[in-house]
């Protein structure tokens, strides 16, 4: 088991608005008036100061997480095998392809080894570039090979520094998004500070560096910033085209770097669809965003050798359905309230039916089953019937896929983030409901009414409306699945800071209280924002300094011993079976062939993994031997932490999931379903250690320490 331990000492103010409101210098006919000379100079100065602040905070965040990583593992001092073991589970698998490309004789041979890979899954040749999102590793390895930096920087440092550098991009994008929403860079400053002080809940990059989300989320943040700018009114055609290009590039990079991109963008598409139906976003821009999502995914599909999981994604089916439905219902936004509501109901039903039909048709043609485990998991998670499906239960029993823990909110509240977020969310939700009702009631007069928005007490800009629904939908996702909280909490920082620093929000509050004056709005907005910043700084700066001064070191001697033994005592062509998480490390540290691995988005691999895991079930030695040999296994690694697992409760231990899937009664005290029966055989991982003849005729123990037991399979004639 990998742990960290304490190191042994012996071892080595702004005074006014930064940006004018969008309507300040706009004529009634839509033409933009030139700024006065003094105002233009102030605007340039403000943008310069705000930009420097964004870059500085981004770089500071990058250095901060890099320092935490170094302090936690003493990464610069440990051996190469220890560094590689620190890339746990699937992180190690992804990094292994970067290492493979670096060590290849040439770039061409490295790419050939990925396209025709026969070491990731034994007795199979798979295309890694098709199956996994590892183009970032390919690009980075090529960059490392062609740049003259090999003498100064080790490959592993080039890799991790790139990821930490992307954190700077992430924070800058959050900063800019908040700035665009509120009109003041003070809001961006607050968003970045909240992101840093809530690091435990906003990122996990310092201990899961190669994880796909750490590559993807910075690009997602850039995309959201670009969409925020795109949705502003009175953009010039050149500005709009340039922004659309940025949205496309960010969407493409986000899609290329994370296999779950389609599900995140589906939520984004739902937000756009809802707001478009309620006349809260310009339809033309929403259409462009649908097209960008589709084209970005299709381009990734081509690069991934026409990956069928992308073609069968709900996102493509949904976006195509919306565009078709809109063509069919051309007069959707005409009529009175009841007429509009009836048309909307029909529109939603039409889109839903078309989405399901198109998706079913595509999956039928492609015979696509790669993502069926996700839908089984969702069905069981939300109570649509119990399941004995091994894959679905494997997800259900993992804490990361459970509900968001309540202590998350107490941590977020300690920085005032959750309190401010809740207040702004409530206020803007009420405003959105009022605006949506007014839009639907206005019918065909909507175009004329938009010119008179200033007459209304309650208004909501398109970019603010999108940000509101974005945070609501991703909040629902985070509440239901803890692993996805990082998509929500980072935007929570943006949304809360925007609300606290927004002239429109304080104007609305003061108008409702009949206390509104322009000067009072500015004073309240800036004073509360600055007080919040000072509170965060004084309260959390000492804790951050203490965190940076705490020194630990990587310590996992059992795994290090196992990897060293494999490298020195087994042939390079040996095939290893074991748990998904451990085998990812075996591939990275030793280069040996695997039977299974943690990248679970393939039906054949899921079935193979379930079969390999029979080493922890109640099966006969002959059955287990036959299963392992069918996958070409030479060595099997048994882990005591799985065989005698205590981390999960009864019913969620791996051995329990296997027992139920096999129709066997679970171990220990507790209830069992009535149709489960006792197994005819004892548990394999326990019984093999007794060296009984029925086991030794198939398996010979060749390595053992406190954590691992390695058995070599006998090759019968």
């Amino acid at each position: 088991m990998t742990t960290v331990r304490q190191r042994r000492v012996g071892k080595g103010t702004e005074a006014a608005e930064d940006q004018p409101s969008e309507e300040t210098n706009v004529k009634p006919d839509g033409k933009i008036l030139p700024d006065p000379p003094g105002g233009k100079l102030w605007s340039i100065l403000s943008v310069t100061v705000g930009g420097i602040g964004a870059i500085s905070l981004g770089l500071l965040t990058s250095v901060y997480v890099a320092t935490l990583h170094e302090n936690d593992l003493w990464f610069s001092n440990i051996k190469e095998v220890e560094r590689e073991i620190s890339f746990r589970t699937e992180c190690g698998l992804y990094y292994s392809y970067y290492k493979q490309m670096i060590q290849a004789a040439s770039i061409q041979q490295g790419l050939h080894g990925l396209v025709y890979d026969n070491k990731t899954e034994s007795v199979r040749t798979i295309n890694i570039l098709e199956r996994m999102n590892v183009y970032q590793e390919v690009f980075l390895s090529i960059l490392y090979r062609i740049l003259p930096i090999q003498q100064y920087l080790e490959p592993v440092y080039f890799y991790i520094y790139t990821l930490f550098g992307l954190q700077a991009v992430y924070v800058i994008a959050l900063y800019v998004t908040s700035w665009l929403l509120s009109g003041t860079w003070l809001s961006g400053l607050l968003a970045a500070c909240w992101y840093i002080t809530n690091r435990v809940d906003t990122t996990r990059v310092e201990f899961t560096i190669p994880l796909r989300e750490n590559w993807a989320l910075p690009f997602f943040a850039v995309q959201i910033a670009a969409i925020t700018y795109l949705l502003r009114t009175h953009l010039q055609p050149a500005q709009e085209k340039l922004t659309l290009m940025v949205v496309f590039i960010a969407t493409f990079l986000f899609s290329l770097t994370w296999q779950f991109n389609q599900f995140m963008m589906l939520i984004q598409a739902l937000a756009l669809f809802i707001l478009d139906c309620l006349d809260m976003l310009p339809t033309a821009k929403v259409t462009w965003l649908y097209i960008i999502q589709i084209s970005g995914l299709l381009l990734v599909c081509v690069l991934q050798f026409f990956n069928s999981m992308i073609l069968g994604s709900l996102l493509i089916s949904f976006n195509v359905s919306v565009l078709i439905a809109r063509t069919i219902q051309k007069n959707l936004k005409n009529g009175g309230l009841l007429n509009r509501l009836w048309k909307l109901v029909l529109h939603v039903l039409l889109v839903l039916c078309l989405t399901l039909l198109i998706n079913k048709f595509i999956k039928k043609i492609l015979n696509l089953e790669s993502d069926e485990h996700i839908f089984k998991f969702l069905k069981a998670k939300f109570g649509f019937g119990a399941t004995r499906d091994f894959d679905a239960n494997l997800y259900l029993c993992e804490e990361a896929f459970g509900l968001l823990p309540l202590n998350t909110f107490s941590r977020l509240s300690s920085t005032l983030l959750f309190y401010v977020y809740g207040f702004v969310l409530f206020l803007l939700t009420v405003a959105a409901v009022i605006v949506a009702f007014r839009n639907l009631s206005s019918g065909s007069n909507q175009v004329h009414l938009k010119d008179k928005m200033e007459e209304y007490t309650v208004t909501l800009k398109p970019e603010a409306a999108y940000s509101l629904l974005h945070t609501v939908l991703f909040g629902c996702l985070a509440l239901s699945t803890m692993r996805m909280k990082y998509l929500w909490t980072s935007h929570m920082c943006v949304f809360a800071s925007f609300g606290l620093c927004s002239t429109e929000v304080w104007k609305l509050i003061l108008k409702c209280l009949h206390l509104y004056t322009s000067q009072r709005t500015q004073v309240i907005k800036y004073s509360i924002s600055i007080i919040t910043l000072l509170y965060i700084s004084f309260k959390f700066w000492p804790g951050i300094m203490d965190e940076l001064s705490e020194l630990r070191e990587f310590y996992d001697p059992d795994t290090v011993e196992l990897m060293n033994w494999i490298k020195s005592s087994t042939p390079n062509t040996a095939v290893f079976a074991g748990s998904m998480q451990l085998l990812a490390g075996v591939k990275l540290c030793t280069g040996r062939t695997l039977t299974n691995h943690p990248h679970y988005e393939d039906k054949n691999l899921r079935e193979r993994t379930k079969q390999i895991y029979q080493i922890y079930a109640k099966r006969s030695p002959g059955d287990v031997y036959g299963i392992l040999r069918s996958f070409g296994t030479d060595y099997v690694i048994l882990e005591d932490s799985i065989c005698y697992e205590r981390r999960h409760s009864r019913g969620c231990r791996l051995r329990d999931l296997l027992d139920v899937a096999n129709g066997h009664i679970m171990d220990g005290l507790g209830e069992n379903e009535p149709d489960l029966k006792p197994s005819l055989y004892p548990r394999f991982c326990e019984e093999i250690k007794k060296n009984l003849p029925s086991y030794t005729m198939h398996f010979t123990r060749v390595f053992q320490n406190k954590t691992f037991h390695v058995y070599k399979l006998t090759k019968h004639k």
Side-chain angles (χ1 to χ4, degrees):
M1 181 179 177
T2 305
T3 59
V4 292
R5 64 179 184 181
Q6 292 300 121
R7 288 190 191 171
R8 296 188 294 275
V9 180
K11 276 192 172 185
T13 318
E14 304 166 284
E17 281 279 32
D18 298 326
Q19 292 183 352
S21 174
E22 290 180 37
E23 290 80 8
T24 301
N25 296 322
V26 180
K27 288 183 178 180
D29 62 0
K31 294 181 180 179
I32 300 175
L33 294 169
D35 288 328
K40 189 171 184 180
L41 181 63
W42 171 250
S43 179
I44 292 172
L45 180 63
S46 177
V47 169
T48 303
V49 172
I52 292 171
I55 295 170
S56 300
L57 278 170
L59 293 175
L60 281 173
T61 305
S62 180
V63 173
Y64 175 50
V65 293
T67 305
L68 288 176
H69 175 258
E70 168 63 24
N71 289 357
D72 198 44
L73 300 175
W74 206 356
F75 201 74
S76 60
N77 188 66
I78 57 180
K79 300 174 183 177
E80 183 181 2
V81 66
E82 293 175 309
R83 290 176 179 174
E84 292 176 346
I85 293 170
S86 73
F87 296 139
R88 302 178 183 93
T89 65
E90 61 188 289
C91 298
L93 182 67
Y94 298 133
Y95 182 78
S96 72
Y97 299 117
Y98 170 76
K99 179 182 176 181
Q100 182 177 325
M101 283 290 296
I102 292 288
Q103 294 179 343
S106 65
I107 294 174
Q108 291 77 8
Q109 286 191 17
L111 290 172
H112 185 273
L114 293 180
V115 174
Y116 301 97
D117 180 277
N118 54 14
K119 295 184 76 68
T120 302
E121 294 178 18
S122 57
V123 302
R124 288 185 73 187
T125 298
I126 63 173
N127 186 341
I128 298 298
L129 296 180
E130 176 192 355
R131 283 273 296 276
M132 305 182 197
N133 297 70
V134 294
Y135 269 102
Q136 50 268 49
E137 276 76 19
V138 172
F139 172 76
L140 215 58
S141 63
I142 294 173
L143 200 61
Y144 182 81
R145 294 177 72 121
I146 62 177
L147 291 177
I149 57 175
Q150 288 88 344
Q151 294 180 349
Y152 314 104
L153 194 65
E154 296 177 62
V156 67
Y157 277 106
F158 184 65
Y159 186 90
I160 66 173
Y161 286 165
T162 300
L163 266 299
F164 293 143
L166 278 177
Q167 280 295 296
V169 175
Y170 197 5
V171 171
I172 291 170
L174 298 176
Y175 185 112
V176 170
T177 304
S178 186
W179 186 357
L180 289 170
L181 286 167
S182 66
T184 170
W185 56 258
L186 186 63
S187 174
L189 185 65
L190 187 56
C193 289
W194 262 329
Y195 179 86
I196 294 168
T197 53
N198 291 281
R199 176 188 56 80
V200 173
D201 295 300
T202 54
T203 183
R204 50 178 175 168
V205 66
E206 73 274 14
F207 62 90
T208 58
I209 298 173
L211 209 60
R212 301 300 83 182
E213 68 188 47
N214 294 328
W215 284 98
L217 292 187
F219 299 122
F220 194 46
V222 171
Q223 185 227 44
I224 294 168
I227 289 174
T228 301
Y229 185 75
L230 177 70
L231 294 177
R232 298 180 119 190
T233 54
H234 310 300
L235 286 184
Q236 297 296 318
Q239 293 174 317
E240 192 169 309
K241 289 177 182 178
L242 183 61
T243 308
L244 285 170
M245 181 62 67
V246 174
V247 174
F248 173 76
I249 293 171
T251 301
F252 166 69
L253 292 174
F254 172 66
S255 303
L256 188 66
T257 51
W258 197 17
Q259 69 268 29
F260 293 137
N261 61 76
Q262 52 179 287
F263 303 105
M264 304 307 109
M265 288 199 296
L266 177 62
I267 295 174
Q268 190 177 54
L270 284 172
L272 295 171
F273 175 71
I274 293 168
L275 292 171
D276 183 33
C277 288
L278 298 176
D279 279 354
M280 298 176 79
L281 295 182
T283 299
K285 292 181 180 179
V286 172
T287 302
W288 273 113
L289 292 174
Y290 287 143
I291 294 170
I292 283 173
Q293 285 188 333
I294 294 172
S295 55
L297 262 189
L298 290 178
L299 182 55
V300 171
C301 181
V302 172
L303 287 175
Q304 289 194 258
F305 297 81
F306 297 94
N307 185 309
S308 59
M309 189 173 174
I310 296 175
L311 292 172
S313 68
L314 275 174
L315 175 66
I316 290 179
S317 302
F318 177 79
N319 285 8
V320 170
S321 300
V322 173
L323 296 174
I324 293 173
R326 186 185 290 167
T327 304
I328 295 172
Q329 294 179 290
K330 292 182 179 179
N331 61 344
L332 184 64
K333 298 187 178 182
N334 295 330
L337 177 61
L338 293 178
N339 191 17
R340 288 284 303 275
L341 288 174
W342 173 243
K343 288 179 180 178
L344 277 181
V345 170
L346 290 178
H347 185 63
V348 170
L349 289 175
L350 178 60
V351 169
L352 182 62
C353 292
L354 280 173
T355 300
L356 295 176
L357 284 172
I358 292 173
N359 193 253
K360 190 75 174 176
F361 178 72
I362 292 173
K363 288 185 175 180
K364 190 74 174 176
I365 290 178
L366 299 176
N367 193 26
L368 179 60
E369 297 176 310
S370 297
D371 57 355
E372 65 175 4
H373 64 299
I374 298 174
F375 296 103
K376 287 180 181 178
F377 160 70
L378 293 174
K379 182 179 176 182
K381 183 177 179 66
F382 294 110
F384 296 104
T387 180
R388 289 186 182 177
D389 183 78
F390 175 75
D391 301 318
N393 284 327
L394 202 59
Y395 281 107
L396 286 170
C397 287
E398 282 300 320
E399 184 182 4
F401 292 94
L403 300 177
L404 189 67
L406 293 177
N407 60 6
T408 305
F409 301 105
S410 62
R411 289 194 300 271
L412 295 172
S413 299
S414 67
T415 62
L416 302 182
L417 173 59
F418 190 67
Y419 294 130
V420 176
Y421 174 80
F423 172 71
V424 177
L425 181 64
F426 171 75
L427 198 69
L428 291 188
T429 300
V430 173
V433 171
I434 294 171
V435 171
F437 181 78
R438 188 172 65 223
N439 290 349
L440 292 176
S441 300
S442 62
S444 58
N445 295 322
Q446 181 66 20
V447 175
H448 304 291
L449 288 169
K450 281 182 179 177
D451 295 331
K452 302 180 179 180
M453 288 299 275
E454 287 300 316
E455 297 178 8
Y456 294 117
T457 302
V458 180
T459 61
L460 195 63
K461 295 186 292 185
E463 61 268 32
Y466 171 76
S467 186
L468 170 65
L469 197 53
H470 180 101
T471 196
V472 168
L473 294 181
F474 278 97
C476 294
L477 177 66
L479 291 171
S480 65
T481 308
M482 187 185 76
R483 183 176 177 178
M484 299 301 171
K485 72 175 180 178
Y486 303 102
L487 288 150
W488 181 44
T489 50
S490 58
H491 194 265
M492 185 188 290
C493 300
V494 171
F495 191 76
S497 61
F498 144 64
L500 205 62
C501 300
S502 171
T503 301
E504 287 76 13
V505 169
W506 288 110
K507 182 178 177 181
L508 175 61
I509 295 170
L510 293 175
K511 277 190 174 182
C512 291
L513 297 174
H514 304 289
L515 297 172
Y516 172 72
T517 65
S518 179
Q519 187 176 8
R520 184 176 290 154
T521 302
Q522 299 301 319
V523 170
I524 292 175
K525 179 181 80 168
Y526 285 113
S527 59
I528 291 181
S529 302
I530 292 170
I531 289 170
T532 304
L533 269 172
L534 291 173
Y535 169 80
I536 294 171
S537 301
F538 281 112
K539 182 175 180 180
F540 293 97
W541 182 258
I544 290 174
M545 291 298 100
D546 289 342
E547 190 179 33
L548 289 172
S549 64
E550 189 173 352
L551 305 177
R552 300 190 184 98
E553 69 174 333
F554 177 86
Y555 185 72
D556 190 1
D558 290 347
T559 307
V560 171
E561 183 185 12
L562 173 67
M563 298 304 172
N564 287 334
W565 177 85
I566 292 174
K567 284 195 288 187
S568 62
S569 304
T570 63
N572 293 333
T573 56
V575 177
F576 279 79
S579 69
M580 296 183 288
Q581 296 81 1
L582 179 63
L583 290 185
V586 169
K587 184 181 188 307
L588 171 58
C589 297
T590 70
R592 302 302 188 264
T593 304
L594 314 180
T595 56
N596 53 307
H597 55 82
H599 195 272
Y600 220 48
E601 279 67 51
D602 180 76
K603 185 179 181 181
N604 290 328
L605 176 67
R606 292 195 295 272
E607 292 174 350
R608 174 186 283 229
T609 298
K610 182 182 175 182
Q611 290 299 308
I612 296 294
Y613 276 7
Q614 297 303 311
I615 58 179
Y616 297 109
K618 298 173 182 176
R619 298 289 293 269
S620 70
D623 287 346
V624 174
Y625 176 82
I627 291 169
L628 294 176
R629 286 303 301 160
S630 69
F631 299 118
T633 307
D634 297 311
Y635 298 87
V636 58
I637 307 173
L638 297 173
E639 301 170 61
D640 286 346
S641 59
I642 298 178
C643 191
Y644 307 107
E645 183 183 357
R646 295 180 181 177
R647 184 168 68 95
H648 292 105
S649 60
R650 184 178 184 271
C652 266
R653 300 169 297 191
L654 179 61
R655 62 180 187 266
D656 297 333
L657 302 183
L658 291 164
D659 288 343
V660 171
N662 292 341
H664 298 152
I665 291 174
M666 294 182 288
D667 292 339
L669 299 175
E671 296 183 357
N672 289 283
E673 293 185 33
D675 59 330
L676 296 179
K677 299 178 181 179
S679 173
L680 298 176
Y681 303 97
R683 194 165 303 282
F684 177 84
C685 63
E686 296 176 359
E687 202 70 9
I688 192 174
K689 296 170 187 174
K690 298 178 181 178
N691 292 324
L692 299 174
S694 57
Y695 289 83
T696 55
M697 68 181 294
H698 300 300
F699 304 93
T700 304
R701 186 161 56 199
V702 291
F703 175 85
Q704 177 184 4
N705 62 22
K706 290 185 293 184
T707 305
F708 305 105
H709 303 262
V710 182
Y711 292 86
K712 184 176 181 179
L713 275 69
T714 304
K715 293 186 178 180
H716 301 301
K717 293 183 180 180

